Amino acid sequence: MPDAVSPSRGISPRIAVIIPCYNEELTVGTTVSGFRRALPDATVYVCDNNSSDRTADFAREAGAEVMSELRQGKGHAMRRMFADVDADLYVLVDGDATYDPDAAPAMLERVIAENLDFLNGARIAEAQAAYRAGHRFGNWALTSLVQFIFGRQFSDMLSGYKIFSRRFVKSFPAMSHGFEIETELTVHALGLRMPCAEVPTVYIERPAGSFSKLKTYRDGARILRLIANLVRNERPMLFFGVAAAVLGAAAFLFSIPLFYTYVETGLVPRLPTAIAVVGLAIVAVLSLFCGLILDMSTTSRHEMKRLAYLAIPPVRPLAPGRRKREDA
C-alpha cells in the first residue's frame, strides 16, 4: 500500500473497500475475494454488524480486516467504518455478491480523473429476479421524491455500490441507523453541491440460499420519514412554507361562509368556526416565520459544513511525468 501521504501532493491514493455485513456467510468470502482481485492495492474492511452466523470468520479467511458493530443497522455499521477507516478513496459495497468487482477500477479512475467526491453505481439487473419489481418501484418512487426536492443528479439513490472521497466521508454526519443511510448520503452530496456523477453497473442475482435483509414496507417507511426530516432540516423554508400554505388555505376556505353570513346579517353566528379560522391563520403565520428563521440558521450551518468539507484536501491524479519518475 502507498504511504499515508496527502493526496494533494500527487501520491497514489490509499483505497479502502468497506463492506457492511449482517449474516452474509454465504457471500462475504466471494465479495472480499472479488474486490481483492480487482483492486490488489486496496485494503478490504468488513464490518460485522452483530451477525449470528460465521460472517466474520469467512471474511477473515478471504483476507479482509474485520471490525465489529453491535448496534443493528447498516447506518451504524457505516458510521463505524467511516470513523475508523483512514483512506483517500472509499469503495462502499454490500457483502451479498450482487455487485461487480471488476467495475471498481474504472469507477475509481473516473473519480480521480474528474476529482469527484461521490460516484454512484446505478444498478442494471442481469436477471429480473435480481431486482424485484416491488423494490424497483419503491426505489423509483423514493428517488423521484428526492430528485424533486434536492436535485435530479441520481437515478438510483438506494444503490449499495458507491465511491467516496476522503473529504466526503470525514464531513458526513451519518445520523441514520439502517438502510435509510443511502438517502442521507445522497442528500449530503446534493446539499453541499459536491462534484458527483453516476455510472451504470451490473446488478447480479443473489446466490441460492442467500436472502435480502431489506424489508420493503418497513424500510420504505423509514426512508420516507428520513426524507421528511431532511426536508425539515435542510429545506426549512419549503417544509414550513408548505405547512403555512395549507393552513392558510384551510383558514380561507372556512372563512368564506362566515363572510357571506356576516355581509347578509351583520352577525357571526358560527363562533366555533370563527375561532378555528383565527387559530389556523395564526398558526399559518407562525409556521411561515419559523421557516424564515430556520432558513437563516440552516444557511449558516451549510456554510460551516462547507468549510469543514473544504478543509480536507482533494484526491488529485498523478502527473504523467511524476508517475514515471516515481515508478522508476
Side-chain angles (χ1 to χ4, degrees), residues 78 82 89-90 92 107 110-111 114-121 153-154 156-169 181-190 193-199 309:
M78 287 180 57
F82 278 9
L89 293 172
Y90 298 75
L92 170 68
M107 293 169 70
R110 180 168 179 182
V111 168
E114 299 181 17
N115 200 19
L116 301 175
D117 288 310
F118 181 26
L119 183 66
N120 187 57
Q153 195 160 358
F154 302 105
D156 187 9
M157 175 184 70
L158 302 182
S159 169
Y161 201 179
K162 307 178 191 292
I163 297 180
F164 312 103
S165 69
R166 176 182 175 83
R167 61 181 183 177
F168 181 104
V169 167
I181 196 168
E182 310 285 5
T183 305
E184 189 182 359
L185 290 165
T186 301
V187 173
H188 179 65
L190 295 173
R193 297 175 176 83
M194 297 179 181
C196 306
E198 185 175 71
V199 296
Y309 156 75

Side-chain angles (χ1 to χ4, degrees), residues 204-242:
I204 307 165
E205 186 175 0
R206 274 177 169 266
S210 174
F211 301 98
S212 172
K213 313 304 183 298
L214 180 65
K215 306 296 183 182
T216 303
Y217 299 107
R218 184 199 66 184
D219 291 316
R222 287 180 176 177
I223 293 170
L224 278 174
R225 185 168 64 246
L226 174 67
I227 291 173
N229 289 332
L230 288 171
V231 173
R232 183 193 62 197
N233 295 332
E234 303 297 329
R235 300 284 192 276
M237 192 62 233
L238 174 63
F239 184 88
F240 289 98
V242 169

Side-chain angles (χ1 to χ4, degrees), residues 23-25 28 48 51-59 61:
N23 286 350
E24 297 286 7
E25 66 177 7
V28 67
D48 178 26
S51 298
S52 58
D53 61 8
R54 297 186 60 200
T55 294
D57 295 333
F58 285 119
E61 291 175 6

Side-chain angles (χ1 to χ4, degrees), residues 124-136:
I124 299 176
E126 288 188 329
Q128 188 68 25
Y131 197 5
R132 289 183 288 175
H135 290 176
R136 193 188 304 269

Side-chain angles (χ1 to χ4, degrees), residues 275-296:
I275 293 174
V277 167
V278 173
L280 287 171
I282 291 174
V283 175
V285 172
L286 290 175
S287 180
L288 179 62
F289 278 96
C290 281
L292 290 170
I293 294 169
L294 290 175
D295 189 64
M296 291 187 289

Side-chain angles (χ1 to χ4, degrees), residues 56-129:
D57 295 333
F58 285 119
R60 287 193 188 92
E61 291 175 6
E65 295 190 19
V66 178
M67 60 183 67
S68 177
E69 174 53 63
L70 298 180
R71 288 170 294 186
Q72 198 72 56
K74 186 175 182 179
H76 290 302
M78 287 180 57
R79 181 163 49 248
R80 176 67 182 273
M81 288 188 290
F82 278 9
D84 292 354
V85 175
D86 191 41
D88 297 317
L89 293 172
Y90 298 75
V91 180
L92 170 68
V93 67
D94 291 337
D96 54 8
T98 56
Y99 293 99
D100 181 17
D102 293 328
M107 293 169 70
L108 284 165
E109 285 180 8
R110 180 168 179 182
V111 168
I112 295 173
E114 299 181 17
N115 200 19
L116 301 175
D117 288 310
F118 181 26
L119 183 66
N120 187 57
R123 292 168 288 184
I124 299 176
E126 288 188 329
Q128 188 68 25

Side-chain angles (χ1 to χ4, degrees), residues 29-53:
T30 301
T31 303
V32 172
S33 299
F35 278 90
R36 290 191 67 202
R37 173 183 50 80
L39 300 171
D41 292 330
T43 304
V44 179
Y45 298 87
V46 169
C47 185
D48 178 26
N49 190 205
N50 200 29
S51 298
S52 58
D53 61 8

